[in-house]
C-alpha cells in the first residue's frame, strides 16, 4: 500500500470537455466549415453537376458524352478529395 501512495495521483475519472462551439446548429456549422475551406463544397457541387449531366446524356442515348462526363466526375471527385486533404493540412498547421 505504501508503494502505491508514492506514485503520481491517478487520472481524473471524468474526461475533460472537448473544445467546441456551444449552441452551434447544423446551418451555423455548415457555414463556418464552408468559410474555412470553400473548395470542398465547390468540388461537391461540381461532382453532382457533372454526374447529373452524365446521367441525362446516358438516358438520352449519347454514350460518348456520358462516358466523358463519368471521367469528368472522377476528376471532380479527385479535386474534392485534394481540397479536403489540403484543408485538413492547413487546419493542422494553424493549430500548431
Amino acid at each position: 500500500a505504501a508503494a502505491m501512495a508514492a506514485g503520481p495521483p491517478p487520472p481524473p475519472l471524468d474526461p475533460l470537455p472537448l473544445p467546441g462551439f456551444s449552441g452551434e446548429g447544423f446551418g451555423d456549422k455548415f457555414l463556418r466549415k464552408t468559410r474555412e475551406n470553400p473548395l470542398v463544397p465547390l468540388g461537391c457541387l461540381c461532382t453532382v453537376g457533372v454526374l447529373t449531366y452524365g446521367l441525362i446524356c446516358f438516358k438520352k442515348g449519347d454514350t460518348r458524352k456520358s462516358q466523358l462526363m463519368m471521367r469528368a466526375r472522377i476528376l471532380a471527385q479527385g479535386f474534392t478529395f485534394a481540397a479536403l486533404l489540403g484543408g485538413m493540412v492547413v487546419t493542422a498547421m494553424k493549430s500548431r
Side-chain angles (χ1 to χ4, degrees), residues 34-94:
T34 300
R35 280 188 220 106
E36 287 175 8
N37 193 356
L39 295 179
V40 173
L42 180 68
C44 290
L45 286 174
C46 287
T47 302
V48 169
V50 169
L51 175 65
T52 303
Y53 186 63
L55 289 173
I56 290 170
C57 291
F58 180 75
K59 187 173 181 180
K60 288 181 180 179
D62 190 354
T63 55
R64 170 90 175 111
K65 195 174 283 187
S66 175
Q67 282 292 317
L68 190 66
M69 289 299 109
M70 291 305 115
R71 292 178 185 153
R73 177 188 57 88
I74 298 297
L75 290 174
Q77 281 179 304
F79 170 80
T80 304
F81 186 70
L84 184 64
L85 285 179
M88 289 171 58
V89 167
V90 169
T91 302
M93 297 300 243
K94 280 183 183 177

Side-chain angles (χ1 to χ4, degrees), residues 8-30:
L13 294 177
D14 294 330
L16 296 174
L18 295 173
F21 298 89
S22 61
E24 185 179 41
F26 175 77
D28 296 331
K29 184 175 181 180
F30 180 78

